[in-house]
Amino acid sequence: MRKFFWPKLGRGHLQVLTRRTRRISPRVLASRLLLSAFCLLPLFLLHPSSFAGAQTTAYAEISAPDASAFPKISALLDIYDASGQFVGGLEPSALAALEDGIPRRVQEVTEEPVGAQIVIGVNTGPALDVRDGQGVTRYQRIQQALGVWAQARPAEAGDNLSLVTIAGPLIARTTPEAWLASFAAFQPDFRATTPNIQSLALSLDAALASTPQVGMKRTILFITPHMEDPALEAALKTIGERALASRTRINIWLVDGEQYFEHPSALLFQSLATQTGGGFLTFSGREQLPDPETYFANLRRVYRLTYASSLTSSGEHTLSVEVNIGGVSISSAPQTFTLNVQPPNPILATLPAQLTRTAPPEDPYNAEFLVPEELQLEIVFDFPDGHPRAIVRTTFFVDGELVAENNTAPFDKFNWDLRGYTISGQHQLKVTATDSLGMTGESISLPITVTVVKPPTGITALLARYRFIIVWGIVGLAGLILLSILFGTRLRHSRRKRKTERKKFSDPLTQPVSAVVEPPTGGKKKPRRTRPDQVPDAAAWLIRLEPDGKPAASSPIPLPSPDITIGTDPVQAAVILDEPSIAPLHARIQQNLTGAGYLIFDQNSLAGTWVNYEPVTQEGHPLKHGDRVNFGHLSYRFELKEPPIISDPVITPADS
C-alpha cells in the first residue's frame, strides 16, 4: 500500500489556521499572503509527492475470482496507468493469470461498463450561502450543476448515489432520479451551521458500504468551505489512509472567497484529493463549474478475464494477474478464493439385474447361436462438486478385468459382448470416467446374473429343428409319385391311340400319291446333281418336293452326321418338320457302319414313313440316291453328294 504523506505545517500556518477571519486592509493581506507562501515553501520542497497525482505508479487490481463455471474461472480486472487513467484496449496476450503462482493462459478478456458508487458530501457553512450580483448563492449554482448531471445519468448505468451531510446520510445507495429529488429538497440554514470535517468521514463511510455489483469503484465529491479547525490535519490524514486502502477517490470542491484559496485548510484538502486520485477545484461563485462526470467517467470501465483452470484439489487457492504494458510488467495483489473440486462419478444407468441367453425364437433348437449377443450399457456422469466438465476417457470392467474402453466420443455407451458367456453365473460390472482435468472416478460395482438356457439335443431335437423341411420333403415326394402315375396313364393311352391311327395309314394304296411325269430322255441316263451353291456341305441331304414332284423353293435338309432324327419336338428331333402329320419323333436316318449307305427307320409314327411308296418299318429300309421319301404328307428326294456312276451297258455278241 502506498504511504500517505501529509505536509507538516509550521507555526505560522497554525497561527493562520486558528486565527479568526476578519476584514483586513489590502496591504496587510498582501503581506500575510507573502508570509504564507514563504512558510509553505519548505512543504513543497520536502514533500513533493503530496501534490502529485494520486496514482504516481500504475497498478492492477482484481476482484474476487468467480469459479461458478469451473473449470473456467473469471475475474474482474482494473488497470490504471501512473496518471490514474484506465488502460483500455488490452488483449489476452498482454495478460497472464497466476493460479497458485503458476501461469495460466488467459483465454478471453473483454471490457465491460460498470456503475460507480458515488457519494456527494456537503459540509455546510456560511460561505455556501454567499450570493452573487444576480442574487444566486454559491450553493444554488452547485445545486444546478449537480442537478443537470444527475438528470443526464441513465438508470441502467447502475450508479449508486448517496447524499451525506454533517447529520449523516440523507439518502444512501439509490438511483440518480431518487437522489436528485432528495438533493433538491435539501435546503439547510447555512449561516447557522459551522463546517465540520465529520461530514467527510461520514461520506467515506457511505462510500465504503458494500456495492451491489462486483467491480464497482467508489468515489466522493466533497463540497466544503475553508475550515478553522486545529484537528483538521490529523483527521484528514486518517481519512486519506482509509481512502487509499479502499482505492476510494476523493474529489473536493472548495467553495469560498478567493482570499481562502491559499488557506492552509485549502492546501490540506488539495493534498488529500491529489493523493487519493481525485480532483480539486476552488469556486467563488464567479467561475464556471465543470461537469462532475469528468471525475467519474474514468471509473465506469472494467475488464473481465477468463482462463481455464487446472486445479485438481479442493480448498483455498490464490489468483493474481500479471499485465504487460509497453514492456512494463504490473502485477496485482493475489486474491484468495475457495474451490470444491471432485472427480466425476459415472453411473451405470441401464443395467438389468438379470439377463437370459437362449436360442432365437425363429430357431429354438440352435445350440450354437444364442441371443442376445451383446448388451448396450449407458452411462450417466454426475459431478459431486457441481462443476460439469468434459469427459475424455471411459473404461468398462467385468469381474475386475478391463473389457472395453472409449478414448473418443461417445463416452457414455458401451456394447458388452456376450458371445463368450455360455455358462450361467453372476458377474460384477464397473465403469470409470476421466475428465478434462485428468481426474478419474469410478462407479460402484453392480451385480448382474447371466442365465444361459441351452436348447435340447438328440434325434428328437433334430427332427423338431428340421420338421418343416421334412414335412415339405414328404409332400414333394408324394406329389412326384402322383404325377408319375398320372403321366404314365396318359402315356399308355396316347400310345394306344397312335397305334390305332397308324393302322389307317398302313396301306399305301389308300394314300394320295401325286403322279410324276418324267420328261423323255434319250441316250444314257446320267445321275442328277444339285449345284453346290444350293445345298449345304454334307454327305447326303433331303430335297423337298412339291406335289407335282418338282423341287420346292425351300432349302435342302443336310444330313451331316451319321444319326439324324426327324420330328416336331425340338428335344427329340434334330430336324424339325412343321406339319400336323409329323410325330414328335417321326423317323431316324442312320449311316451304315461301313459308311457306304444310309438306312431310314420309322419311329412308330401315326402317319408313317414311306420310301418309293413302300412303308418303312422300325427295322429300317435302305436309301439309295434319288429315292422318294414321304414323312406323313411331306415328300422329299434323297440325294448323295457323290452318287454312284451308272456304267453304260455293254453289248456282248452272242456266240455263233
Side-chain angles (χ1 to χ4, degrees):
M1 181 184 301
R2 189 166 58 85
K3 186 177 180 181
F4 191 83
F5 293 98
W6 274 111
K8 297 297 183 179
L9 298 181
R11 185 174 182 180
H13 294 88
L14 294 177
Q15 292 175 351
V16 175
L17 188 62
T18 57
R19 186 178 299 127
R20 297 180 60 87
T21 304
R22 62 180 182 272
R23 298 180 62 88
I24 56 178
S25 64
R27 179 180 298 179
V28 175
L29 177 61
S31 63
R32 289 184 177 180
L33 289 177
L34 182 61
L35 177 62
S36 298
F38 178 78
C39 294
L40 291 174
L41 181 60
L43 175 69
F44 288 95
L45 296 177
L46 294 175
H47 301 285
S49 62
S50 300
F51 301 95
Q55 304 302 329
T56 56
T57 58
Y59 77 93
E61 185 177 49
I62 62 172
S63 64
D66 179 11
S68 60
F70 183 84
K72 285 189 175 181
I73 294 181
S74 63
L76 296 180
L77 169 67
D78 284 319
I79 176 71
Y80 287 88
D81 60 18
S83 63
Q85 297 298 313
F86 184 84
V87 179
L90 288 181
E91 297 292 335
S93 58
L95 304 174
L98 302 178
E99 186 179 63
D100 289 341
I102 301 175
R104 305 294 181 197
R105 185 177 66 87
V106 174
Q107 296 177 325
E108 184 180 5
V109 58
T110 56
E111 187 175 324
E112 300 178 356
V114 65
Q117 184 145 293
I118 303 171
V119 177
I120 307 297
V122 181
N123 192 13
T124 57
L128 275 68
D129 198 39
V130 176
R131 299 177 183 272
D132 59 12
Q134 299 177 352
V136 180
T137 66
R138 294 167 178 165
Y139 178 74
Q140 288 174 340
R141 292 194 179 276
I142 293 174
Q143 197 174 37
Q144 181 182 8
L146 290 177
V148 172
W149 165 78
Q151 286 180 341
R153 293 306 303 158
E156 59 271 15
D159 288 342
N160 250 7
L161 272 66
S162 300
L163 179 61
V164 178
T165 68
I166 187 61
L170 297 182
I171 189 169
R173 297 185 296 281
T174 187
T175 62
E177 183 180 3
W179 179 90
L180 182 58
S182 178
F183 185 57
F186 177 57
Q187 298 293 336
D189 185 359
F190 292 101
R191 296 190 177 276
T193 58
T194 302
N196 193 321
I197 197 59
Q198 185 65 19
S199 57
L200 180 56
L202 294 175
S203 298
L204 182 58
D205 292 340
L208 295 181
S210 61
T211 59
Q213 182 181 356
V214 178
M216 292 181 70
K217 266 76 78 175
R218 299 173 171 89
T219 184
I220 298 172
L221 176 57
F222 187 59
I223 302 168
T224 181
H226 83 282
M227 294 183 62
E228 305 284 353
D229 186 356
L232 180 63
E233 179 182 0
L236 291 183
K237 181 178 180 181
T238 302
I239 292 173
E241 290 174 348
R242 291 179 61 199
L244 283 178
S246 60
R247 296 198 184 278
T248 301
R249 299 192 179 194
I250 300 178
N251 306 279
I252 296 179
W253 283 2
L254 182 66
V255 182
D256 215 320
E258 294 180 358
Q259 67 272 24
Y260 296 105
F261 291 169
E262 299 295 334
H263 192 272
S265 62
L267 175 62
L268 294 175
F269 283 130
Q270 182 180 10
S271 178
L272 174 67
T274 54
Q275 290 196 68
T276 59
F280 179 79
L281 172 74
T282 56
F283 179 65
S284 65
R286 293 181 297 181
E287 298 85 2
Q288 181 70 31
L289 287 172
D291 182 2
E293 185 62 20
T294 58
Y295 300 112
F296 310 138
N298 199 38
L299 306 177
R300 302 183 190 278
R301 299 158 68 189
V302 69
Y303 285 109
R304 182 180 297 276
L305 62 88
T306 304
Y307 74 97
S309 174
S310 298
L311 296 175
T312 57
S313 61
S314 300
E316 287 192 349
H317 302 275
T318 60
L319 175 66
S320 61
V321 176
E322 188 175 87
V323 186
N324 191 315
I325 304 176
V328 178
S329 181
I330 305 172
S331 298
S332 70
Q335 289 283 344
T336 302
F337 64 98
T338 302
L339 177 66
N340 175 27
V341 58
Q342 299 178 35
N345 179 28
I347 302 171
L348 284 168
T350 59
L351 183 65
Q354 186 170 354
L355 177 68
T356 301
R357 299 197 69 215
T358 184
E362 63 274 11
D363 192 5
Y365 296 95
N366 189 346
E368 299 177 356
F369 180 72
L370 302 179
V371 293
E373 289 189 294
E374 64 179 16
L375 177 65
Q376 187 177 77
L377 303 175
E378 293 186 2
I379 308 172
V380 176
F381 303 104
D382 176 50
F383 291 87
D385 54 18
H387 303 302
R389 45 198 178 270
I391 299 297
V392 298
R393 183 173 183 264
T394 52
T395 56
F396 174 48
F397 292 85
V398 178
D399 297 332
E401 294 185 2
L402 179 63
V403 173
E405 61 180 330
N406 291 327
N407 292 311
T408 57
F411 298 102
D412 59 347
K413 290 182 176 63
F414 278 109
N415 288 327
W416 183 19
D417 188 357
L418 300 172
R419 289 175 296 181
Y421 297 88
T422 58
I423 301 176
S424 300
Q426 189 179 70
H427 304 278
Q428 298 291 327
L429 275 58
K430 181 179 68 174
V431 293
T432 68
T434 303
D435 62 16
S436 57
L437 297 176
M439 303 181 70
T440 301
E442 63 180 36
S443 68
I444 61 174
S445 294
L446 295 178
I448 181 173
T449 300
V450 179
T451 303
V452 179
V453 179
K454 294 185 178 180
T457 58
I459 187 64
T460 303
L462 182 64
L463 293 176
R465 182 178 182 184
Y466 297 105
R467 61 185 182 278
F468 294 107
I469 298 176
I470 295 174
V471 170
W472 283 109
I474 294 174
V475 172
L477 181 60
L480 289 176
I481 294 174
L482 180 60
L483 288 176
S484 299
I485 294 173
L486 294 176
F487 182 75
T489 303
R490 185 174 180 180
L491 183 61
R492 288 193 298 271
H493 177 72
S494 176
R495 286 180 177 177
R496 286 196 299 269
K497 184 176 180 181
R498 283 186 294 177
K499 187 174 182 180
T500 303
E501 292 292 334
R502 190 166 55 248
K503 289 181 179 180
K504 297 179 181 180
F505 296 95
S506 61
D507 188 0
L509 297 178
T510 64
Q511 307 302 315
V513 178
S514 300
V516 179
V517 180
E518 296 289 339
T521 57
K524 295 188 295 182
K525 185 177 181 180
K526 295 184 179 180
R528 183 178 178 181
R529 294 180 178 271
T530 305
R531 292 184 303 174
D533 58 348
Q534 293 180 342
V535 296
D537 186 16
W541 54 83
L542 295 174
I543 299 175
R544 175 75 180 274
L545 299 178
E546 297 290 350
D548 58 359
K550 295 181 180 180
S554 60
S555 300
I557 299 175
L559 305 175
S561 61
D563 189 357
I564 299 296
T565 54
I566 300 170
T568 60
D569 187 359
V571 177
Q572 303 181 66
V575 177
I576 306 301
L577 301 180
D578 188 11
E579 210 280 331
S581 63
I582 305 301
L585 180 59
H586 196 98
R588 182 186 300 272
I589 298 177
Q590 291 183 345
Q591 195 173 11
N592 290 338
L593 296 178
T594 60
Y598 288 85
L599 294 175
I600 186 170
F601 302 88
D602 183 70
Q603 298 297 307
N604 201 22
S605 64
L606 294 177
T609 304
W610 311 80
V611 176
N612 297 330
Y613 308 111
E614 293 184 5
V616 177
T617 64
Q618 292 184 359
E619 286 74 16
H621 189 286
L623 289 175
K624 298 188 298 294
H625 179 73
D627 284 347
R628 183 164 183 161
V629 182
N630 286 78
F631 302 102
H633 295 165
L634 298 179
S635 297
Y636 290 88
R637 183 170 61 242
F638 176 77
E639 290 189 359
L640 295 174
K641 181 178 181 180
E642 296 180 358
I645 299 175
I646 302 176
S647 303
D648 293 334
V650 178
I651 301 175
T652 303
D655 294 338
S656 54

